[in-house]
Amino acid sequence: MHFDINELIAQYGYPGVLLGCLIEGETFTLLGGIAAHEGLLRYSGVVIAAMIGGGIGDQLLFWLGRRYGTRILRRFKKHQDKLVKANHLIQRHPSLFVIGVRFMYGFRLIGPIIIGASHLRPLKFFLLNVVGAAIWALLFVSLGYFAGEMITPLLHKIDQHLKHLFWLAGAVVFAFLLRFVIRRWNDKRAG
């Protein structure tokens, strides 16, 4: 099965960004920002969709952690020291950890599960999750939007030359295939 993120965003717009942020996150927010720069989507709509998708995803992971977190985290035997450190951070600085977990490499999915297992109050997590999702969505959609300013002109230039490169590559492949066929035919005639 082929999965094209650009096609998903182009075809489904805001729901595509929202769904993508439930599953993966940063890629969808960045591409949504580029789509907003191109005028395909509105910037504010992309931010809201990314915020909702990212927030729901982390909320689901939090509840998963709250219910099954201890069992899930026991499976990470090699990383128990990191989990203990994360738990201490949650206890000492819950607000910073909840807001920042989506920016921590390697903690994007496991972080909300760890927080759920730590028994942080659900209302506190919800409120901090909303704040974190808003900051995250604004940051990454804006990065995508401004990257679109730099990337889009380059892509248009590449697109103009891409047709020529495609035909050149096709001609080279055809020449190699023709050479291969001729050699095989000559080898058969000689042998």
Side-chain angles (χ1 to χ4, degrees):
M1 183 175 132
H2 177 66
F3 183 69
D4 185 2
I5 294 172
N6 293 320
E7 190 176 306
L8 180 71
I9 290 174
Q11 186 172 358
Y12 297 105
Y14 306 112
V17 171
L18 190 147
L19 180 63
C21 288
L22 270 168
I23 299 166
E24 197 276 320
E26 283 80 8
T27 303
F28 282 88
T29 55
L30 291 168
L31 290 174
I34 292 170
H37 177 267
E38 287 295 295
L40 301 172
L41 300 172
R42 292 184 61 202
Y43 174 83
S44 59
V46 174
V47 170
I48 291 168
M51 181 181 153
I52 292 170
I56 290 172
D58 283 4
Q59 202 65 47
L60 292 172
L61 291 169
F62 170 80
W63 285 107
L64 181 70
R66 193 143 172 99
R67 178 85 168 109
Y68 303 105
T70 306
R71 274 189 263 169
I72 293 170
L73 297 175
R74 268 192 235 135
R75 295 176 188 243
F76 294 94
K77 292 178 182 168
K78 292 180 185 177
H79 303 287
Q80 288 302 311
D81 57 328
K82 290 179 185 174
L83 295 174
V84 168
K85 286 179 186 176
N87 218 348
H88 286 299
L89 281 171
I90 293 167
Q91 300 306 320
R92 289 181 29 220
H93 308 287
S95 301
L96 290 175
F97 194 87
V98 172
I99 291 170
V101 74
R102 60 182 27 92
F103 299 100
M104 294 179 198
Y105 180 75
F107 278 90
R108 182 75 179 99
L109 293 175
I110 195 73
I113 295 173
I114 295 168
I115 297 166
S118 76
H119 299 291
L120 184 70
R121 289 190 337 264
L123 180 60
K124 185 169 188 167
F125 177 80
F126 174 76
L127 296 173
L128 293 169
N129 186 33
V130 168
V131 171
I135 293 168
W136 173 80
L138 275 168
L139 178 68
F140 281 95
V141 172
S142 296
L143 284 172
Y145 187 88
F146 293 117
E149 238 176 77
M150 295 180 286
I151 292 171
T152 304
L154 179 64
L155 290 177
H156 290 302
K157 286 179 185 176
I158 289 172
D159 188 43
Q160 290 172 358
H161 300 293
L162 197 58
K163 292 175 190 167
H164 302 295
L165 290 174
F166 176 74
W167 285 110
L168 177 63
V172 168
V173 168
F174 179 74
F176 277 109
L177 283 173
L178 185 61
R179 181 177 168 206
F180 175 77
V181 170
I182 291 171
R183 276 192 176 171
R184 296 274 301 193
W185 187 66
N186 285 337
D187 288 345
K188 283 185 180 181
R189 283 186 54 198

